[in-house]
Each structure stands twice: as C-alpha cells, then as structure tokens.
Amino acid sequence: LGLVGLDLVRCLHLCLLGQCLFQCLGLFLVGLLRLTPVRLVIVALMCALLVFVVVHLVFKGVVLDYFLVVVRVSVVPLGGASQQQPQLQQQRSFASSSSSSSSSSSSSSSSSSSSSSSSSSSSSSSSSSNFPESTVYGGPIANPVDGGGGAAPRVTVRTVAAKYKKHEKLVMMTAYDYPSARLCDATPDIDMVLVGDSVAMVVHGHDTTLPITLDEMIVHSRAVVRGAKRPLIIGDLPFGSFETSPSDAVRAAVRMLKEGNVDAVKIEGSSDARLAAVSAISDAGIAVMGHVGLTPQSISAIGGFRPTGRTAEEAISVLDGAKRLQDAGCFAVVLECVPASVARAVTERLSIPTIGIGAGVHTSGQVLVFHDLLGIAQHPHHATVTPRFCKQYAQAGIVIAEGLAQYASEVKQAEFPSDKYSPYKMGDGAMDEFQKLLAERGE
C-alpha cells in the first residue's frame, strides 16, 4: 500500500511538472511577441524556471525514480524480499553472471528487490525468481578454483542425474573433518563427499559404526561443509536415529540438513521400516541415498562384516532391495561388498546411479574411505578394519610417521627450533633494559 501511495504521489508530481512546462512555453512565446522591458524580465524568469525543471527531471532522476517504482510494484509481491542470506546472494550473483539472455533484467530486479524493506517467503521467492531452477537452492557455495579466477559450479542432485544420463563415472569420497574436506574440494573430479558413519571406526577408534550418535555426525558434517563447497555433501543417518518411526527418521534428516548443513542423507538397508523412513524423508523434500549389500549398521543381525550376493537368493535380495529404494524415492544407491556381476545386473536394472564400494567396475560410480585410500593410519587397529577391496593410492601414514619421528629427534637434540624458526627479536637496547630490570628485582 505504501508503494501504491508513493506511485500516486509521483504521478501527481509529474502532472504538476508537465503543467509547469506548458505554462513556461506559453509565456515564452508571448514574451517574444511583446518585447517590453517588463516582459523581458518575465521571459528571463520563465527561462530560468524551465532550466530548473529540466535539470530536476534529468539529474535528480524523477522519471527514472518513477520507472523504478512501477517496476518494483510489478516485480516484488506484497511482503516481498529484503534481507537475503549472504549465501543466497552469492548464488544469485553467480546465476546472474552465468545467464546470457536475461542478465540485464536479472540485475535490475535483484537490485530493486535488495533495496526493498520487506521479507519474502521461500515460496514467493522461488516463484518470482529469474534464475535457473538449480540455483534457487544450491546448498553450499563453491570455493574459488585453486589457481583460477572464479567459482566452480557446485554439484547438486541434478548434476549427478545429468552425469548419470551421459554415462559419466561418478566419484564419491568420504571425509570427516575440515582438512580432508578441503582436499576433496580441491580435486575437481570428486562429485560427492560422504560424511559416513564409518567415522566411528576410522576416527573414533570403535570396532563398529554403531556407537556414533546423531549429534556427533552433525559436528563432523559441519566441519566437512565448511571445507568442501563444491561437491554434493551427503550425511549418513547413524544407527538408532531413524529406525523407530518415519517421523523420527524425518526429524533426524531435518537436523542433518538444518544443523549439519549437508545436501542429502544416506540410509542403510531396504527393510520395510527403512523403506518407510526413506519414503517419509523423500516426501519431506530431502534427497536420500540408499545403501544395500553389506550394511554395517546391521552387524548384529548378519553376524559380522561379511559380503552378500554370493548366492542366487542373496543376489535377488540385493536387486529387489535396490529397486525398492529407488521406488521409495532414492536418487542413488550404494552397493557394498557384492560380486561385480551382481552389481552390474543391479546397475543395468535401475534408472538411478549406483555407487560401488567393493562391488566391481560396472557401477555408475565409486566411493572409498579417505584414510584407507591415502594409507594414513598405520596402527594395528586400523589394519584389522581396512577392507580387502581398498586400494591404497598413497602411503601418507609412513610419511607422517617419519615426520613425527624426525621432529621428536630434533627436539631431544636441541636442533629445533633453530634461529630460522625463532623469528622474534627484541629491539635495540631492550635486552640491556631487561637485564637491568632483572638486576633491580634481584633475579
């Protein structure tokens, strides 16, 4: 209503200015016909008034102001947007720079909406957005590419689906903390990062994944999200956080998104209770990744970490479970510790990507644990839980152990820190003054 009132005031203002222009023009013509000294003065005054009006119109931006008011009233709905989160502003700026056909209209609408003083609901914002659909909500913003000058497009569920349709292999990596997430973020070919409940074994030192809690998963998720801005971030729902009821499952998934800031969640298993949880979470508008084959959260029922799908009945069970997860709303399914032939059969019969881990090369993509792949941990406990299917692409643990041993040796021999690593010096005369103060104190 305030904007409409302002519109009426501006219209009246323009009318008065237009009337003034016509009066000035008429008096000017009369003055030219009857050039008496008095009328010359009147003509001069009218000319000055005319100049003032023109300057006011052109330089004060009355016409432009009026145009912007009309545009603002037509573009921004009542109760329209004002304060956007910095993350959304960065997404919109990236989207506007990437759109070619509507860049000028996007910039004008975004500038006018940012100057308005009201706040819009998410539904009205999405319905009036001029940006690509995938950027209305994109999750974490991409970090600038190392060595490059811009922000790399972030990976979304739509990106994963597009690569799957093009038969491009998908790359997923686990990460449990900020440093590992930063390394994943700096590797352009990594599409997804999984904050897996395997953190219970790899980082916390447990023998199974069962002890990790939802609160602990949220803490790890926050750290990963701060480090990885480009990949799609998926958080495991830990054991005990979703099995009791679909409502509990939705509540846990919502916490992972709101507090952990992940983009999607992953659920193990394909039992009726877990399918109900997947369906409820998907209906709540949250992307879900499924998981069949070896499901570590079911270790109590299956009697240990053992592969599955090695008999015809088990293979059919893996296939049916993957199909049910797809029908329940999963956007992808992890196949763990199943024969390559079974994984291939499942992949060929699904219309969503499969991510293999110990499942052969015929899946849509692969995932490995960060610490396993890099050979970081070098202790007996880790050796007992490192899977046979894991290939070590580096021996980071050996390098780390050598570095720690060298550090300890140099400290014991008083070689560290040398002058090179003792950069802080006292100013001229400060040491003498310091000694004098010590002497005065009798020390």
Side-chain angles (χ1 to χ4, degrees):
L1 293 177
L3 290 175
V4 173
L6 180 60
D7 190 14
L8 295 175
V9 171
R10 292 298 172 86
C11 289
L12 179 60
H13 190 191
L14 285 178
C15 291
L16 293 176
L17 290 173
Q19 182 181 2
C20 183
L21 284 174
F22 283 115
Q23 288 178 351
C24 291
L25 181 60
L27 290 174
F28 182 77
L29 293 176
V30 171
L32 290 178
L33 294 175
R34 300 178 180 181
L35 297 176
T36 64
V38 175
R39 286 172 182 155
L40 283 174
V41 173
I42 295 176
V43 169
L45 292 175
M46 291 301 101
C47 288
L49 180 59
L50 179 62
V51 171
F52 171 79
V53 169
V54 171
V55 169
H56 184 70
L57 286 173
V58 175
F59 293 99
K60 295 296 184 180
V62 172
V63 176
L64 180 61
D65 255 358
Y66 173 73
F67 173 74
L68 290 178
V69 169
V70 174
V71 170
R72 186 162 61 237
V73 171
S74 62
V75 171
V76 180
L78 290 178
S82 74
Q83 296 180 352
Q84 302 290 342
Q85 297 179 355
Q87 179 171 320
L88 186 56
Q89 290 174 346
Q90 294 179 28
Q91 289 173 350
R92 290 186 168 182
S93 64
F94 170 74
S96 62
S97 65
S98 63
S99 61
S100 56
S101 61
S102 61
S103 61
S104 60
S105 62
S106 298
S107 60
S108 63
S109 63
S110 63
S111 63
S112 60
S113 64
S114 63
S115 64
S116 87
S117 59
S118 51
S119 160
S120 78
S121 64
S122 59
S123 60
S124 63
S125 297
S126 60
S127 62
S128 63
S129 173
N130 293 323
F131 302 108
E133 182 180 351
S134 60
T135 61
V136 173
Y137 171 71
I141 301 301
N143 281 335
V145 179
D146 292 344
R154 67 174 310 280
V155 178
T156 66
V157 173
R158 293 166 60 91
T159 310
V160 172
K163 288 192 173 187
Y164 168 71
K165 290 181 180 179
K166 296 177 182 178
H167 302 288
E168 295 182 23
K169 287 289 187 178
L170 297 165
V171 182
M172 185 162 77
M173 176 58 58
T174 67
Y176 310 122
D177 53 28
Y178 178 83
S180 57
R182 285 295 299 157
L183 291 171
C184 292
D185 196 54
T187 306
D189 288 333
I190 292 180
D191 303 300
M192 295 174 281
V193 169
L194 172 66
V195 188
D197 60 355
S198 51
V199 65
M201 304 174 70
V202 178
V203 175
H204 292 265
H206 296 294
D207 293 328
T208 70
T209 63
L210 303 184
I212 199 75
T213 66
L214 180 60
D215 288 336
E216 290 172 322
M217 288 298 300
I218 288 173
V219 171
H220 284 286
S221 297
R222 286 174 176 171
V224 170
V225 168
R226 284 192 288 268
K229 303 298 184 180
R230 177 189 51 78
L232 181 73
I233 311 295
I234 303 160
D236 252 334
L237 287 185
F239 176 74
S241 66
F242 63 92
E243 294 90 346
T244 50
S245 70
S247 59
D248 286 342
V250 172
R251 189 175 297 109
V254 168
R255 286 195 64 195
M256 284 294 287
L257 264 69
K258 289 179 69 68
E259 300 176 38
N261 299 320
V262 299
D263 299 312
V265 296
K266 184 171 77 67
I267 286 184
E268 287 187 13
S270 58
S271 64
D272 291 341
R274 292 169 188 258
L275 288 171
V278 169
S279 180
I281 294 171
S282 181
D283 288 344
I286 299 173
V288 186
M289 175 178 281
H291 186 147
V292 295
L294 169 60
T295 51
Q297 292 181 6
S298 303
I299 186 174
S300 174
I302 63 180
F305 295 102
R306 54 181 299 273
T308 187
R310 292 184 293 180
T311 66
E313 292 78 10
E314 288 180 349
I316 287 294
S317 177
V318 171
L319 173 60
D320 290 344
K323 285 183 175 181
R324 287 195 294 267
L325 287 170
Q326 175 181 266
D327 295 340
C330 288
F331 74 93
V333 175
V334 171
L335 303 178
E336 181 171 1
C337 292
V338 299
S341 56
V342 175
R344 182 173 189 171
V346 173
T347 301
E348 290 173 349
R349 286 162 176 77
L350 294 185
S351 58
I352 58 175
T354 57
I355 307 298
I357 176 167
V361 74
H362 302 295
T363 54
S364 309
Q366 299 290 330
V367 60
L368 282 178
V369 172
F370 184 90
H371 297 67
D372 295 343
L373 179 150
L374 297 178
I376 291 178
Q378 301 289 325
H379 56 85
H381 170 76
H382 187 267
T384 62
V385 299
T386 301
R388 292 171 54 193
F389 57 75
C390 181
K391 178 180 179 179
Q392 289 190 349
Y393 288 84
Q395 296 292 331
I398 295 176
V399 177
I400 293 171
E402 291 175 350
L404 293 174
Q406 184 177 356
Y407 162 72
S409 175
E410 291 187 3
V411 170
K412 287 183 175 295
Q413 298 176 21
E415 295 177 359
F416 177 84
S418 61
D419 289 343
K420 179 181 178 180
Y421 300 103
S422 302
Y424 312 110
K425 310 297 181 184
M426 298 185 72
D428 294 340
M431 186 60 189
D432 294 337
E433 183 66 22
F434 180 53
Q435 295 289 351
K436 180 180 178 180
L437 291 175
L438 289 176
E440 290 176 355
R441 295 170 49 167
E443 296 184 15

